Amino acid sequence: MISPLQVNQLIRLRRSTFPDQFEKDRPIDEDIIWQLLENASWAPNHKATEPWHFTVFTGEGLKKFAAFQAGRYQQTAGEKFRQDKYNKLLTNPLKASHIIAIILRRSKTADIPEIEEIAAVSCAVENIYLSATAYGLGGYWSTGGPTYDPAAGGFFGLEEGDKLMGFFYLGHVRVPSVAGSRKPVKEKTTWVTT
């Protein structure tokens, strides 16, 4: 049994770790990626719709992902095009071991408000975050690149009603993130006792 102290510690150790902090050319074992995805699938979800879908990019797939997102940026940026942003979109994915596209796949049978399924997918992503932390891995959830690009649906296999909710970058940690802090929870809590 996991102690409350271990759970508290795991939650507080969770950090976003970015591609420049990853060890280059050190892939994560595929069995661990499968375990992270299995843990994600145990997230709470209304009416057991399990509204998440994951597309995993690794190896040559990272190059395909990078070329797609950089190309879409180049096609759509117009006058706002910046070479440094284009270069980052093209190179950052290659620093990761794996990138997981996070997809909300809406239930076709259950009458559930979309926000509840968005919340369920977000819980699944938190399970990935915590699992990566437990394995000593780094990662972060990005909503950049083609996340909100309507034309990206075909590349990621989106079906009608699906939403691309971003990408989870994963890698072995070379440079740890600094310790986090939070405002006191008492400042953000109201108790009603009578």
Side-chain angles (χ1 to χ4, degrees):
M1 186 60 111
I2 299 171
S3 75
L5 186 60
Q6 289 172 308
V7 173
N8 294 345
Q9 185 178 21
L10 177 64
I11 290 170
R12 285 164 181 77
L13 286 174
R14 187 216 52 79
R15 291 286 166 276
S16 289
T17 307
F18 302 98
D20 285 339
Q21 297 173 262
F22 295 158
E23 287 185 35
K24 191 165 170 36
D25 299 323
R26 184 176 171 206
I28 298 168
D29 187 83
E30 189 175 299
D31 289 340
I32 294 175
I33 300 298
W34 279 114
Q35 189 60 64
L36 268 57
L37 296 173
E38 179 68 27
N39 291 351
S41 76
W42 282 91
N45 58 105
H46 194 185
K47 295 188 180 179
T49 61
E50 300 182 38
W52 41 78
H53 182 83
F54 308 109
T55 300
V56 182
F57 295 87
T58 192
E60 291 297 311
L62 293 170
K63 293 178 184 176
K64 185 176 180 181
F65 173 83
F68 175 78
Q69 76 167 0
R72 285 300 300 155
Y73 172 70
Q74 189 173 36
Q75 292 168 5
T76 61
E79 293 179 4
K80 295 182 180 181
F81 179 84
R82 291 185 5 233
Q83 187 66 43
D84 62 327
K85 183 171 182 177
Y86 173 82
N87 292 345
K88 187 175 180 180
L89 291 168
L90 198 57
T91 59
N92 264 359
L94 307 182
K95 298 173 185 176
S97 169
H98 293 73
I99 296 173
I100 304 169
I102 310 295
I103 297 165
L104 164 62
R105 187 146 287 162
R106 289 284 281 145
S107 171
K108 307 282 192 273
T109 57
D111 184 23
I112 297 175
E114 182 181 59
I115 189 65
E116 293 188 21
E117 294 202 316
I118 290 171
V121 174
S122 298
C123 288
V125 173
E126 180 67 359
N127 283 1
I128 293 172
Y129 253 125
L130 294 174
S131 300
T133 301
Y135 278 98
L137 301 171
Y140 87 108
W141 184 7
S142 169
T143 54
T147 300
Y148 303 112
D149 180 352
F155 183 82
F156 295 101
L158 300 189
E159 300 172 2
E160 186 178 344
D162 291 353
K163 286 197 183 321
L164 184 58
M165 291 182 58
F167 308 96
F168 202 94
Y169 284 63
L170 283 162
H172 288 279
V173 179
R174 180 180 54 84
V175 179
S177 296
V178 297
S181 65
R182 294 291 187 269
K183 294 177 184 174
V185 72
K186 289 181 179 182
E187 294 178 9
K188 299 172 273 185
T189 306
T190 302
W191 287 68
V192 180
T193 58
T194 58

